[in-house]
């Protein structure tokens, strides 16, 4: 039977739950149903950073800062999982191993953590989160520089498109004093 031949990869099922949540959120503006789907995605795969981010985002939007911080920290841990030996100082120095999409999520998570720190009167923590957001923006920018000198036309078009991309512009705009 073909259905029994399909591998039961938890990340695949988490992706389906996440996309269903995204569908409910964007198409029907049904936040409750979207949250249920994002939670199911995180339950199926506890390292699915996109679902963890959404859970943290909605918790922050509801002023549930403790849960928001928890989910944002889990988002960051998931992004760096398997890319370091687990030491705190090393986890945050492995930017070059993250994809462009992962760097954007890291940036957004750190910025939200900084906002939470400010709203909960922990300004001293906000600076560290903003510094990490800046590191994510720099890593995003540097990733494009790799392709700048390449003679491969595919790399050139990739670099040309992203070097002045909206995500990069937005990252720097958010960090402007």
């Amino acid at each position: 039977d073909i259905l029994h031949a399909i591998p039961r990869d938890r990340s695949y099922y988490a992706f389906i739950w996440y996309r269903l949540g995204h569908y409910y959120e964007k198409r029907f503006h049904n936040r409750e149903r979207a949250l249920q789907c994002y939670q199911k995605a995180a339950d199926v795969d506890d390292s699915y950073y996109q679902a963890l981010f959404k859970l943290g985002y909605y918790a922050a939007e509801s002023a549930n800062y403790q849960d928001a911080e928890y989910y944002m920290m889990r988002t960051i841990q998931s992004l760096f999982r398997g890319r370091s030996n687990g030491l705190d100082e090393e986890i945050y120095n492995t930017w070059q191993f993250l994809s462009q999409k992962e760097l954007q999520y890291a940036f957004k998570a750190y910025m939200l953590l900084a906002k939470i720190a400010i709203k909960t009167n922990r300004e001293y923590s906000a600076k560290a989160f903003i510094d990490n957001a800046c590191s994510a923006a720099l890593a995003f920018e540097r990733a494009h520089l790799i392709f700048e000198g390449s003679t491969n036309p595919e790399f050139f078009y990739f670099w040309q498109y992203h070097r002045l991309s909206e995500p990069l512009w937005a990252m720097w705009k958010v960090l402007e004093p």
Side-chain angles (χ1 to χ4, degrees), residues 25-56:
E25 179 183 7
K26 299 299 180 187
R27 177 80 168 114
F28 297 112
H29 307 287
N30 187 336
R31 177 184 161 163
E32 286 182 38
R33 189 74 171 121
L35 271 170
Q36 291 171 354
C37 293
Y38 295 143
Q39 185 62 60
K40 184 68 174 168
D43 291 345
V44 170
D45 183 353
D46 66 349
S47 66
Y48 201 81
Y49 68 89
Q50 293 164 292
L52 295 169
F53 179 84
K54 283 293 193 174
L55 291 169

Side-chain angles (χ1 to χ4, degrees), residues 9-23:
D9 180 2
R10 65 187 181 139
S11 63
Y12 177 73
Y13 293 110
F15 171 78
I16 291 171
W17 281 110
Y18 172 78
R19 293 304 301 167
L20 184 58
H22 186 76
Y23 180 73

Side-chain angles (χ1 to χ4, degrees), residues 101-115:
K101 183 178 184 179
E102 290 170 331
L103 287 167
Q104 289 178 41
Y105 271 88
F107 175 84
K108 293 188 294 187
Y110 281 124
M111 288 306 296
L112 190 53
L113 282 166
K115 290 177 184 177

